[in-house]
Amino acid sequence: MKTWLGVLVDVVTVAVAIAALALVGERYFTVSAPAAVPSAMAASLLNTQIGETFGVDFAAAEQTALVVFREECPACVKSLPFYRRLTDFEAAGVQIVFAAPEHNTNIETYLESRDVDPDAVVFTSAGRISPFVATPTLVIADQGGVIRHAWVGSLAPAAEAEVLHELFGA
């Protein structure tokens, strides 16, 4: 027959095992936790003046969607179907521009081979100060080059719909 101490040890052992399994499950099987970081990054970009940063003529359109993109970025590659849809829209007053690191010299060919057809491609360089620290980043800037909307990372379908609504009312 077990003593109360033996029963207590068994209960504590089972409780520790359950807690350990819960931690492992949360760490490896939860998908939603990282969303807060991109949201904070996106929020920090709002109202940032980027008019002179990339040589984009923001005055050429009422709104400019600037997609900061790298070929070797897995989230960028995952987002290509959305970028294809984004560049398929034709709307007066909207331009779609991709910004890539200057070492991605074949980015235009890369995008073209994936049926992504932006209005322009510009290059970032180490010498320029850029507010963008992650790829992909998609921002919508006004005619003065001020960021009015921002998203960081691969977008969920609801966020994709939000981008399309902001740009095209669709």
Side-chain angles (χ1 to χ4, degrees):
M1 190 153 65
K2 287 191 171 190
T3 66
W4 67 271
L5 185 58
V7 172
L8 182 62
V9 168
D10 289 345
V11 169
V12 169
T13 302
V14 169
V16 168
I18 290 171
L21 287 173
L23 288 173
V24 168
E26 181 181 9
R27 177 169 177 98
Y28 293 103
F29 300 108
T30 302
V31 179
S32 62
V37 173
S39 296
M41 292 168 120
S44 71
L45 293 170
L46 296 178
N47 299 314
T48 301
Q49 170 61 255
I50 58 170
E52 301 295 319
T53 306
F54 299 107
V56 175
D57 181 11
F58 290 99
E62 291 176 33
Q63 295 187 98
T64 299
L66 179 70
V67 180
V68 183
F69 186 92
R70 288 182 306 121
E71 284 180 61
E72 61 274 4
C73 160
C76 296
V77 172
K78 179 182 172 186
S79 299
L80 281 169
F82 172 64
Y83 299 143
R84 185 176 311 111
R85 286 193 351 242
L86 181 67
T87 60
D88 282 347
F89 274 88
E90 294 288 329
V94 176
Q95 65 178 338
I96 311 296
V97 177
F98 274 63
E102 62 187 355
H103 71 271
N104 279 163
T105 55
N106 65 337
I107 190 73
E108 291 176 86
T109 304
Y110 175 84
L111 292 171
E112 184 179 301
S113 71
R114 283 143 183 90
D115 296 323
V116 177
D117 186 27
D119 296 310
V121 174
V122 296
F123 294 95
T124 62
S125 69
R128 289 188 186 142
I129 296 173
S130 171
F132 308 113
V133 295
T135 55
T137 296
L138 190 154
V139 299
I140 299 175
D142 62 17
Q143 287 182 302
V146 176
I147 297 173
R148 298 299 178 198
H149 305 279
W151 298 266
V152 177
S154 294
L155 302 181
E160 290 178 358
E162 185 180 350
V163 170
L164 296 175
H165 176 74
E166 291 298 335
L167 287 170
F168 309 108

